[in-house]
Amino acid sequence: MTTALFTHDSSLKHQTPAGHPEQIARIEHIAAALNAPQFQTLIRRDAPDCTDADILLCHPQSHLDAIAAAEPSSGTVALDGDTHMSPGSLKAARRAVGGCVAAVDAVLTGDTNNAFVACRPPGHHAEHSTPMGFCLFGNAAIAAKHALDRHGLSRVAVVDFDVHHGNGTQALLWDEPRTLFITSHQNPLWPGTGLPGETGATNNVQNWPLPPHSDGRLMRATYQAEIFPALNRFKPELLIISAGFDAHADDPLAQLNWSTEDFAWLTRELCAIAAEHCQGRVVSTLEGGYDLNALAASTAAHVRVLMETAA
Ligand SMILES: [Zn+2]
């Protein structure tokens, strides 16, 4: 009974301008935390390059072409006010997609019980033809489509607990009735979407905004009263987690006050739901988290619970 960790050094080649919160050091801090002795039994895998077809599960060819054409030969280029590319960004983004696809394969074939993908850039803000919010491709949504279209699953749940609304995943899965996308996030906060009235084409999207300065008590109450029951009604065959750790109290980009233990609790509860409905099959992928120490500690707590529940 194992947990797999998918990473790749290409994540260390995707550069953002000096002072940008979505920085190479995020992966370095996570890697250091996951090198502690308690993580010795993690199955460590290289995140493979994805295929163009993987990206085309959620994006048009024109988006892939535009991202490829935007990569500079030196320095960094801004795709918008937040989202940047450097030499190596396309390879990194492709490995982030490929890691998620490979993690789904590993979990659905029984190669591992659950998996965490620690790659960057993150994915949950990327819309069909619009990179945004540090994201180029919709990693989590592509993973869901891969599980549905290629493994023949009928019901895949995607839970996004990043502090920002997963507008990209919502857009990519909006009219996909085989998915249930549930996101909690601070509101008001960038990007401003994610209100309860946004419910998807077939009531397959749920948005649970949380007020600034609220803490883990409101998070736990909201998940227990609303989100866990919805997941139990849906009975997922695979649970995908968009794991952003920027709801942590120390995070500089938002104002929620979750603790490291709150992330562990939430992971434990989500894994219990996966154990109930789908033999514990969970694929979790890194999204945000910008205080380096809080990110490392919260990610370690998250992966530790994945390992405990796989045991
Ligand atoms: Zn975020």
Side-chain angles (χ1 to χ4, degrees), residues 11 22 94 123 156 167 183 293:
S11 288
E22 207 292 284
R94 292 183 64 103
V156 175
N167 61 291
T183 157
N293 293 327

Side-chain angles (χ1 to χ4, degrees), residues 14 82 84 144 275 289 293 297-298:
H14 165 55
D82 304 307
H84 298 78
N293 293 327
S298 301

Side-chain angles (χ1 to χ4, degrees), residues 124-125 162-164 244 246 287-290:
H124 74 148
H125 295 304
D162 187 280
V163 79
H164 302 96
D246 41 8
E287 300 286 358
Y290 304 101

Side-chain angles (χ1 to χ4, degrees), residues 30-114:
I30 289 171
L34 297 183
N35 274 331
Q38 61 178 321
F39 297 104
Q40 234 172 15
T41 57
L42 269 178
I43 308 296
R44 292 166 195 269
R45 299 265 171 82
D46 269 351
D49 189 12
C50 70
T51 64
D52 288 3
D54 294 334
I55 294 170
L56 299 180
L57 287 167
C58 283
H59 300 280
Q61 180 71 46
S62 57
H63 177 68
L64 175 54
D65 293 345
I67 294 295
E71 184 171 279
S73 55
S74 65
T76 61
V77 65
L79 306 186
D80 62 22
D82 304 307
T83 314
H84 298 78
M85 290 183 73
S86 72
S89 292
L90 179 61
K91 282 184 178 167
R94 292 183 64 103
R95 296 270 181 178
V97 171
C100 286
V101 168
V104 167
D105 290 340
V107 167
L108 291 184
T109 60
D111 183 29
T112 186
N113 296 87
N114 55 35

Side-chain angles (χ1 to χ4, degrees), residues 239-262:
L239 174 62
I240 295 172
I241 301 176
S242 262
F245 298 99
D246 41 8
H248 194 284
D250 293 343
D251 196 274
L253 295 197
Q255 292 82 40
L256 292 194
N257 289 316
W258 299 10
S259 67
T260 302
E261 176 50 34
D262 287 323

Side-chain angles (χ1 to χ4, degrees), residues 1-39:
M1 306 294 271
T2 56
T3 297
L5 172 67
F6 288 82
T7 61
H8 194 266
D9 284 350
S10 58
S11 288
L12 306 174
K13 304 272 174 60
H14 165 55
Q15 290 184 322
T16 50
H20 195 286
E22 207 292 284
Q23 56 184 308
I24 290 168
R26 298 179 64 233
I27 294 294
E28 294 172 334
H29 276 65
I30 289 171
L34 297 183
N35 274 331
Q38 61 178 321
F39 297 104

